[in-house]
Amino acid sequence: MKGRQAAFEEAIQEAPVIAAVKNDMGLAHALRSECAAVFILYGTILDIGQIVKRIKAAGKLAFVHADLIEGLSNRGEIAVDFLAEATKADGIISTRPNLIHHAKELGLITVQRFFLLDSICLLYTSPSPRDISGSR
């Protein structure tokens, strides 16, 4: 069986656009689209499992932005444990390095989001997406 990271890389090669959804209407459009992966930027702890289930049922990879789920504390690793176990998401997105690190330990695909405020910040970021994700 193919690992999550390999499945993600293959899916992005075939369909390089990733849908980012902020509401149910955007989700409906993403499910009908040709994209292979969906970034979930909304939801609550009560409905995130169903959102992920709909995406996976459509044959797409589901990534939950852990910092944006209402009712989910993003201060601790337990939030990542919940997303991995209760939703079966393929990966997470977060600005918090501790959540990213723990998600990698659980075998989830990770996307660490960061903000560049000026060109000096660019000097302190990793030079490639692979370095940011730590995938190899």
Side-chain angles (χ1 to χ4, degrees):
M1 186 169 113
K2 204 180 318 182
R4 281 186 175 148
Q5 184 67 35
F8 174 66
E9 289 176 11
E10 183 179 306
I12 295 305
Q13 288 293 321
E14 293 177 18
V17 175
I18 299 173
V21 298
K22 298 187 285 186
N23 55 43
D24 288 336
M25 187 169 62
L27 177 59
H29 289 302
L31 295 177
R32 290 189 305 268
S33 76
E34 294 182 17
C35 71
V38 179
F39 286 180
I40 307 163
L41 309 179
Y42 78 107
T44 70
I45 58 170
L46 298 176
D47 64 9
I48 192 61
Q50 284 301 319
I51 294 168
V52 170
K53 190 175 185 177
R54 288 177 63 194
I55 293 167
K56 293 179 80 65
K60 300 176 187 301
L61 298 169
F63 292 79
V64 178
H65 196 313
D67 303 346
L68 301 179
I69 302 304
E70 189 175 339
L72 185 64
S73 170
N74 55 16
R75 292 190 178 99
E77 296 170 348
I78 194 72
V80 176
D81 293 335
F82 170 78
L83 291 172
E85 290 298 317
T87 73
K88 305 296 185 214
D90 296 292
I92 71 158
I93 306 162
S94 181
T95 59
R96 302 181 186 283
N98 62 319
L99 298 186
I100 295 296
H101 179 74
H102 187 61
K104 285 181 192 177
E105 291 176 342
L106 296 177
L108 296 172
I109 302 167
T110 59
V111 176
Q112 183 164 7
R113 186 175 175 196
F114 59 92
F115 302 97
L116 293 177
L117 301 177
D118 57 44
S119 60
I120 293 174
C121 292
L122 185 58
L123 298 174
Y124 298 102
T125 60
S126 296
S128 77
R130 286 219 182 272
D131 291 339
I132 294 169
S133 70
S135 63
R136 289 201 178 119

